[in-house]
């Protein structure tokens, strides 16, 4: 213990009163003079604890509809005075300013208001002025006074008051100050985000109040933490805690499934889809998604876009999987799936945010808009005289959705809205195609009449030549190569159909 300060005077002005009563009663028991104002003053008085109105100290009432209550030299002087500075103490005495040893103040609920309304006047009124000033001033002067700016710290403060007879140490005050600056900086970041929605200022401000320590990062020797409130998107119904790698796969899985409207099942492994199928029922979709690569499906993440029924659950339960995600589960299906102790079962409550993606790079971060493009038939531009029928067009759109969510370079082969083969993360597009064909052949798929989707253009005709030899008849690619004509000519001369989407889907 060092640099102990006995709490003699406290200023309390809080929005949230939860857990405050035992604290003010303990302060009273310790003989502390409590200054307060407005609703907090009324609450403290209702607890049977005497309180000195701030107005009696400042000589001014609360004005401007409560906008100005504590912004006064007699308040901030008592907070900011340096007790090891003779002149500061002289001025406190001269102007009859009491030293404030403890300040308990929180902030108006700006983020909560923003989540509930779009009314600008209501939002603006929840921008705290006095509270944020009190927090910063007290935290700055932590050597001499203590700031408690979070109701979550009331219990800790109460224990401190009891165990230390109303004294605080320098270490404790500095810890409170760190928490206070975290709260104030997060609050300001949220306000800036509201005012900068149109991104007039090219500034990145990220702040999260929620931090979940993970068992480890990508590998056991790496530390990992998830920042954010996962409960806004997903509810964990069963299983062990999500790992760093689980979270990456869940992100990939949910992003992919949100692009599909028909009943669809996707299987994700290391952020890439290894099985996808859209069918009239979930059971059929599961059966055909699994057939796409039953080997890679082992230990994977499974995502569905319909409530899981008992029949499909029985089939899914037959394989080992890490995570299962669905918008809902029947009671019987859930009971079956819970038979595996560590199996993670998640209920998807909301779609992923549609704003930007952020990732670290070099000594900074890269920020970009999310790839939200989902092609429709009207977006496809035929570049060959022969065109595709309705079923092939549907397969092209199906395959393009998968390409969008797969690591580059990537090629997707599909037929009848089923993933037949995928080549991903390859250094050449030819290698990606060969890998996709090899995958399809390994699981006995017939590629005759299948479609091929590429995440980027073909600089040479080699890919369409290889695809043609494998039985593929229809191709979709972004187009844009200076040698587009070479690929188009090969398709034209060999009866293949090619469409340009005009949209590249690089993913790194």
């Amino acid at each position: 213990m060092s640099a102990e300060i006995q709490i003699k005077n406290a200023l309390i002005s809080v929005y949230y009163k939860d857990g405050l009563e035992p604290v003010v009663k303990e302060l009273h028991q310790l003989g502390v003079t409590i200054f307060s104002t407005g609703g907090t003053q009324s609450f403290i008085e209702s607890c049977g604890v005497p309180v000195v109105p701030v107005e009696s100290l400042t000589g001014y009432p609360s004005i401007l509809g409560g906008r100005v209550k504590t912004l006064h030299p007699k308040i901030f002087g008592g907070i900011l005075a340096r007790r090891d500075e003779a002149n500061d103490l002289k001025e406190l005495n001269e102007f009859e300013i009491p030293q404030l040893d403890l300040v308990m103040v929180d902030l108006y609920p700006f983020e909560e208001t923003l989540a509930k309304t779009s009314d600008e006047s209501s939002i603006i009124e929840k921008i705290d002025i006095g509270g944020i000033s009190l927090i910063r001033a007290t935290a700055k002067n932590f050597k001499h006074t203590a700031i408690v700016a979070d109701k979550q710290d009331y219990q800790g403060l109460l224990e401190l008051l009891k165990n230390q007879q109303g004294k605080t140490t320098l270490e404790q005050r500095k810890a409170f100050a760190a928490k206070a600056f975290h709260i104030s900086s997060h609050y300001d970041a949220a306000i800036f985000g509201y005012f900068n929605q149109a991104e007039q200022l090219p500034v990145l401000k990220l702040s999260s109040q929620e931090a979940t320590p993970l068992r480890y990062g990508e590998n056991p020797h790496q530390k990992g933490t998830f920042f954010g409130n996962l409960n806004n998107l997903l509810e964990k119904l069963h299983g062990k805690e999500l790992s760093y790698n689980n979270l990456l796969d869940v992100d990939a899985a949910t992003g992919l499934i949100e692009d599909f409207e028909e009943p669809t099942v996707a299987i994700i492994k290391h952020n890439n889809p290894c099985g996808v199928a859209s069918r009239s029922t979930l059971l059929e979709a599961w059966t055909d998604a699994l057939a796409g690569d039953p080997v890679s499906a082992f230990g994977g993440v499974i995502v569905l876009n319909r409530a899981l029924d008992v029949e499909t659950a029985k089939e899914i339960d037959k394989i080992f999987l890490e995570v299962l995600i669905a918008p809902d589960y029947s009671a019987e299906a859930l009971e079956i799936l819970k038979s595996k102790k560590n199996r993670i079962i998640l209920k998807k409550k909301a779609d992923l945010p549609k704003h930007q993606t952020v990732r670290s790079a070099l000594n900074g971060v890269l920020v970009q808009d999310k790839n939200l493009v989902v092609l429709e038939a009207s977006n496809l531009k035929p570049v060959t005289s022969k065109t595709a029928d309705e079923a092939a067009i549907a397969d092209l759109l199906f395959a393009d959705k998968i390409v969008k969510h797969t690591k580059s370079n990537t090629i997707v082969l599909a037929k009848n809205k089923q993933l037949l083969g995928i080549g991903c993360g390859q250094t050449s597009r030819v290698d990606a195609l060969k890998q996709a064909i090899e995958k399809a052949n390994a699981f006995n798929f017939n590629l005759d009449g299948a479609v091929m989707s590429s995440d980027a253009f073909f600089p040479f005709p080699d890919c369409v030549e290889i695809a043609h030899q494998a039985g593929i008849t229809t191709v979709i690619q972004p187009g844009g190569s200076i040698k587009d004509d070479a690929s188009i000519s090969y398709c034209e001369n060999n009866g293949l159909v090619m469409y340009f989407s005009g949209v590249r889907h690089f993913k790194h």
Side-chain angles (χ1 to χ4, degrees), residues 402-415:
I402 300 172
V403 156
K404 169 185 163 183
H405 294 278
T406 307
K407 297 290 185 182
S408 299
N409 288 308
T410 184
I411 293 287
V412 166
L413 308 179
K415 184 165 64 174

Side-chain angles (χ1 to χ4, degrees), residues 364-382:
V365 294
L366 289 168
V367 181
Q368 66 171 350
D369 295 336
K370 275 196 170 182
N371 182 359
L372 301 177
V373 173
V374 178
L375 295 179
E376 298 178 0
S378 59
N379 302 131
L380 306 187
K381 175 187 175 183

Side-chain angles (χ1 to χ4, degrees), residues 320-394:
F320 169 69
L321 60 103
E322 280 274 334
V323 184
L324 180 62
I325 312 162
D328 208 350
Y329 301 81
S330 73
E332 298 90 341
L334 196 55
E335 198 60 34
I336 290 168
L337 295 166
K338 284 182 175 180
S339 62
K340 304 295 190 297
K341 176 184 175 183
N342 290 327
R343 178 182 287 162
I344 301 169
I345 303 174
L346 302 175
K347 180 177 178 179
K348 187 173 182 287
K349 296 158 59 176
D351 285 350
L352 293 173
K354 303 299 183 187
H355 45 75
Q356 297 168 318
T357 63
V358 181
R359 65 189 294 181
S360 61
L362 300 174
N363 61 342
V365 294
L366 289 168
V367 181
Q368 66 171 350
D369 295 336
K370 275 196 170 182
N371 182 359
L372 301 177
V373 173
V374 178
L375 295 179
E376 298 178 0
S378 59
N379 302 131
L380 306 187
K381 175 187 175 183
V383 292
T384 53
S385 56
K386 186 177 180 180
T387 57
D389 60 20
E390 188 175 324
I393 292 291

